[in-house]
Amino acid sequence: MSVKVSESTGYGPNTQMSLFGYVMAAILVIMLLPLLPVLIPAWILWKVFVSDEDNEHSFENWRRETGHTGSSRLEAEETEADETEPDDAESADAETDQTAAES
């Protein structure tokens, strides 16, 4: 038995596949609802007994421990911006020359 599926043109959304995805998501949510009474206490017990906040490192902790500051990043971005400005000025001059040549 052969089932033909038309090729997607890529120009618009595939409504049939979108609808199928939404229906499957709804079915999965309905099927997983009975697990909520098990998942919520398991998550609470995990947070209380297993999860150790001292071992979790955030980006801010890393910056403090290594001595990195936000200002060094800003300085690096400013130097990159300074380096790109002449290129922008040159391209603007080239566009002006091109429009002058066309007229």
Side-chain angles (χ1 to χ4, degrees):
M1 179 167 109
S2 174
V3 177
K4 287 191 173 186
V5 178
S6 62
E7 286 189 33
S8 174
T9 59
Y11 294 114
N14 191 340
T15 345
Q16 290 176 336
M17 288 303 291
S18 295
L19 182 62
F20 178 76
Y22 291 131
V23 168
M24 289 305 294
I27 290 171
L28 286 173
V29 166
I30 291 169
M31 288 176 57
L32 293 177
L33 279 176
L35 289 178
L36 279 179
V38 175
L39 292 176
I40 292 174
W43 179 77
I44 292 171
L45 290 173
W46 173 266
K47 283 294 193 181
V48 170
F49 294 111
V50 179
S51 178
D52 189 13
E53 295 294 328
D54 294 336
N55 290 338
E56 293 181 14
H57 295 287
S58 68
F59 180 69
E60 291 297 322
N61 290 340
W62 172 80
R63 283 177 54 188
R64 272 188 248 115
E65 291 170 1
T66 58
H68 288 85
T69 61
S71 61
S72 62
R73 189 186 83 205
L74 292 174
E75 291 171 3
E77 288 177 1
E78 288 175 359
T79 56
E80 288 177 8
D82 292 340
E83 292 172 358
T84 58
E85 285 178 8
D87 295 337
D88 295 339
E90 290 172 4
S91 64
D93 291 339
E95 289 176 10
T96 307
D97 293 340
Q98 183 179 6
T99 54
E102 289 175 356
S103 58

